[in-house]
Structures are given as C-alpha cells and as structure tokens.
Amino acid sequence: MSVSILDTDLLSKVRALMDGGATEGERRAAKSRAEALAKKAGMTLPEALSKLDDAEATRSMADAFNDFFNSPDMRRHRAEAEAKRSANRERLLKIFGSEEAIFAETERERRLRVTLEPLANYCKYDGAVGLDGKWTETKETYINGYAGWICGRPPAALRHALNEAYPLPVTVTAAWAEYQEWENLMDARYAFEPDGDIPIWVRARQAALSSILDTYSEPTRDGLRSRFEWMHFHIKQEIHRDNRKESDTITALRLDFEMFMADIENARAADGANAAPTGATSTPVHFERRTNANKRADVLSMLDASPHLSDRAIARRVGVSPQTVNTWRRKIRTVKPNAQQGDSA
C-alpha cells in the first residue's frame, strides 16, 4: 500500500467526533476512521494526532499573528509610519533634487573606493562556501574586507589608506561631525531603499572615525559635548558595544573632563578667580588629592586607550612627568611578551 500525506483537515474533523460524538458507537466509528487515515499516511494513531496538534498549533499561531497584524491599532500604526516615510522622502527630494542624486557616488566615496581598492580582500563563491572559507549567499565576487579588516578598529595599513583618500579628523568634534554626515547620507538612501547596504569603504571610514571618537583627547566644551553625543547615539540606536570600546570612551571622557576643569581652575587662579573659559560655570571646583595609585591608573588607561600619543602628550593630559609615562610604557612592553610566552606554554 502506498503511503500518502496525512490529511490533517479531515483528521481534525474526525477527532472532533472521536472526542464529542453523541453516542459510543459514533465515537468508536470515528476512532476507526482516524486509525485508517493514520495508517494510510504510514503512522500510528498517536503519531498522527501528535502531528495534527503541531499543525493546529502552527495554524493557531499564524491566525493570532494575522489577527494582531491586521488589528485596527497595527493598521493605524503602519499607516502613520508610511506617512512619515513618505513625508521624509518628499523632504529629502527637496534637499537632493532627485532620487538619483541621493544614490549618486559622492567625491569622498569615490576617493575611498579607489584608494582602498589595492588593500581589498575578495570573497568569491565556490559551491556553498567562499574561497576564503566564509559562507556566502551570492555567486558574485565581492570585497569582504581590507588588509585583513572586516569590522572593528582598522589596522595601520587601512588607517593610512583612509588618511590618503582624504585626511582623517584630528579632533573628536570634527570626527563626530563627519560621522553624522555619513549617517545622514546613509539614512537618506535607506528611506528609498530599505534593503540597501552601506558600501564597505564607507564602513571602513566610519570604523576609523569611531576609533577617534573612542580614544582621542579634546578637553574642550565642544569636545566633551561631541563625546556625550557619540555615547548617546549608541543608546538611541540600541547598539551594544563590547566592554573594551565602552571603557576606552569613558576613560577618554573622564580624562578630558579633568583637564577641562583643571584649565578652568588655572584660568581663575591666573586672573584672581574671576576668569573662566566660555561655557564654564561660576561654581568653584575642588579636586580631591590624587594619589600615586590614581596617577598610575590614569597613565595605564591612557596608554591602553591611546597608545599612539607621545609620552609628553599623555603626561600633559594625566598631570605627571613624561619620564613617568615612559617608564610605564616600557613596563607594559616588557610584560606583554612575557604574558604571550606564558600563554603559548
């Protein structure tokens, strides 16, 4: 006897008679019919009923979703969201002039694409897995990184190329301004093409800007404001970042704040406690005495977050001598190789 697919619709009706038939004979007849349906599908009755339960549960979930999706509140929500998207698209068209202009490659994008191309790592489809061992859903050859970079902080070679395309910002304020320009452009394109992707050369540039925003020092009112806005940006986007990046950002912010407040105190001391930089409050600031342990912790934090800074630059930010910074820098370089040897052992 050939096996057929279980007729769940018919089995559902038969089971209703099994469970709620008016007479015992009607219930026995329904059970016999159910066993015949199960046998025809190559199953026992319990197996068939279990499959029926799964099918009904799936239908129930689908029905519940459809009810929710088509509820008056959800229809109103979708209509409001679409109205906002439509208004946003109209606003963007007034700014850019046309949809083609929104998607046109900018001069900065062209420079990034051309300058970074020699460092590109390509992925080519080969069966189910790319030639580089990465899973891929496309049969097209595409760039999946630069100089070994895919995400996170760009390596030195990539960072150099990004600077060659056009200079990277040297302040937190400038980095945040450029980052927002990229976000605004990509948001504009997303409004017209939700399934579109950010070009990888733009993502590389944004990664470098992120590194600057996380680690560079700018102890000014604008620098502190930009850093706070950078942190708030991730909260609004509900982006979870690893603890290392969060620690770097907090460390840089804390040190910049201490330097900013120290400048205020120095200005007041020089002018008889009457002068203060623009944006400062008139409330006196009192610092607790910093211990050697506090200074050592600040030096180590700066060396960890901004190793590219000179000993003199770190010393100025932390409030210690350049010799102290150099001493701890040499100690770190000595400890790290030893730790690696211990790990390999």
Side-chain angles (χ1 to χ4, degrees), residues 173-328:
T173 300
W176 176 232
E178 183 183 337
Y179 195 96
Q180 290 180 94
E181 290 174 2
W182 286 117
E183 283 293 303
N184 291 335
L185 177 60
M186 296 306 142
D187 284 347
R189 292 175 179 175
Y190 177 81
F192 289 88
E193 190 176 318
D195 296 329
D197 195 12
I198 300 175
I200 192 168
W201 41 89
V202 174
R203 288 199 289 108
R205 182 76 180 191
Q206 287 186 303
L209 295 173
S210 296
S211 179
I212 293 172
L213 288 162
D214 286 334
T215 62
Y216 274 31
S217 176
E218 186 184 349
T220 66
R221 181 183 59 183
D222 289 341
L224 292 170
R225 179 182 291 115
S226 296
R227 187 99 65 188
F228 276 120
E229 290 178 357
W230 170 241
M231 297 169 68
H232 191 227
F233 166 77
H234 293 102
I235 295 174
K236 289 193 300 182
Q237 298 292 321
E238 297 183 356
I239 298 174
H240 175 71
R241 305 205 303 160
D242 61 55
N243 291 336
R244 170 63 183 271
K245 290 180 180 178
E246 295 291 0
S247 177
D248 289 349
T249 307
I250 293 297
T251 296
L253 177 63
R254 179 171 59 83
L255 293 176
D256 277 358
F257 175 75
E258 290 183 357
M259 292 171 59
F260 179 73
M261 299 307 295
D263 287 343
I264 292 176
E265 285 218 325
N266 291 336
R268 286 175 176 163
D271 294 344
N274 292 321
T278 303
T281 65
S282 59
T283 304
V285 179
H286 302 284
F287 289 102
E288 295 182 0
R289 180 178 177 82
R290 295 171 67 211
T291 65
N292 289 335
N294 296 143
K295 295 177 182 179
R296 180 174 64 252
D298 288 343
V299 170
L300 292 175
S301 294
M302 281 296 295
L303 287 171
D304 184 51
S306 304
H308 59 281
L309 293 178
S310 67
D311 293 344
R312 185 177 298 277
I314 293 177
R316 183 176 64 84
R317 287 162 170 76
V318 178
V320 298
S321 69
Q323 182 179 358
T324 298
V325 177
N326 183 262
T327 298
W328 281 104

Side-chain angles (χ1 to χ4, degrees), residues 4-307:
S4 62
I5 298 175
L6 180 66
D7 188 340
T8 53
D9 289 337
L10 180 56
L11 181 59
S12 179
K13 296 175 183 177
V14 173
R15 183 166 68 172
L17 291 174
M18 284 175 52
D19 298 337
T23 65
E24 181 64 26
E26 189 176 16
R27 291 193 291 273
R28 282 199 302 268
K31 182 177 181 181
S32 297
R33 179 60 174 149
E35 289 173 340
L37 288 172
K39 185 177 181 180
K40 187 176 180 180
M43 302 179 186
T44 65
L45 181 57
E47 289 172 342
L49 293 176
S50 177
K51 185 168 184 176
L52 176 62
D53 289 338
D54 292 340
E56 289 179 343
T58 301
R59 280 199 299 266
S60 178
M61 291 177 63
D63 290 342
F65 175 79
N66 288 331
D67 290 343
F68 172 74
F69 187 77
N70 294 307
S71 65
D73 286 344
M74 286 302 297
R75 287 200 300 270
R76 183 171 60 255
H77 175 75
R78 289 197 301 274
E80 291 174 353
E82 181 54 37
K84 288 181 180 179
R85 283 193 292 267
S86 179
N88 187 38
R89 287 193 290 266
E90 290 182 10
R91 179 185 65 83
L92 291 168
L93 288 174
K94 291 180 180 179
I95 295 173
F96 286 88
S98 67
E99 185 174 339
E100 290 73 18
I102 294 175
F103 287 93
E105 184 178 52
T106 66
E107 175 60 18
R108 283 187 168 185
E109 284 181 289
R110 186 195 67 78
R111 290 186 182 184
L112 291 171
R113 175 176 55 79
V114 172
T115 307
L116 269 57
E117 198 276 336
L119 298 178
N121 304 130
Y122 290 93
C123 183
K124 184 176 181 181
Y125 183 86
D126 181 24
V129 182
L131 292 178
D132 64 351
K134 301 291 190 303
W135 287 94
T136 176
E137 297 179 354
T138 177
K139 293 186 178 181
E140 302 295 329
T141 298
Y142 66 97
I143 299 174
N144 72 328
Y146 294 104
W149 171 89
I150 295 178
C151 63
R153 292 180 181 174
L158 175 54
R159 191 181 183 93
H160 176 75
L162 290 166
N163 194 62
E164 286 293 311
Y166 61 95
L168 285 164
V170 295
T171 65
V172 173
T173 300
W176 176 232
E178 183 183 337
Y179 195 96
Q180 290 180 94
E181 290 174 2
W182 286 117
E183 283 293 303
N184 291 335
L185 177 60
M186 296 306 142
D187 284 347
R189 292 175 179 175
Y190 177 81
F192 289 88
E193 190 176 318
D195 296 329
D197 195 12
I198 300 175
I200 192 168
W201 41 89
V202 174
R203 288 199 289 108
R205 182 76 180 191
Q206 287 186 303
L209 295 173
S210 296
S211 179
I212 293 172
L213 288 162
D214 286 334
T215 62
Y216 274 31
S217 176
E218 186 184 349
T220 66
R221 181 183 59 183
D222 289 341
L224 292 170
R225 179 182 291 115
S226 296
R227 187 99 65 188
F228 276 120
E229 290 178 357
W230 170 241
M231 297 169 68
H232 191 227
F233 166 77
H234 293 102
I235 295 174
K236 289 193 300 182
Q237 298 292 321
E238 297 183 356
I239 298 174
H240 175 71
R241 305 205 303 160
D242 61 55
N243 291 336
R244 170 63 183 271
K245 290 180 180 178
E246 295 291 0
S247 177
D248 289 349
T249 307
I250 293 297
T251 296
L253 177 63
R254 179 171 59 83
L255 293 176
D256 277 358
F257 175 75
E258 290 183 357
M259 292 171 59
F260 179 73
M261 299 307 295
D263 287 343
I264 292 176
E265 285 218 325
N266 291 336
R268 286 175 176 163
D271 294 344
N274 292 321
T278 303
T281 65
S282 59
T283 304
V285 179
H286 302 284
F287 289 102
E288 295 182 0
R289 180 178 177 82
R290 295 171 67 211
T291 65
N292 289 335
N294 296 143
K295 295 177 182 179
R296 180 174 64 252
D298 288 343
V299 170
L300 292 175
S301 294
M302 281 296 295
L303 287 171
D304 184 51
S306 304

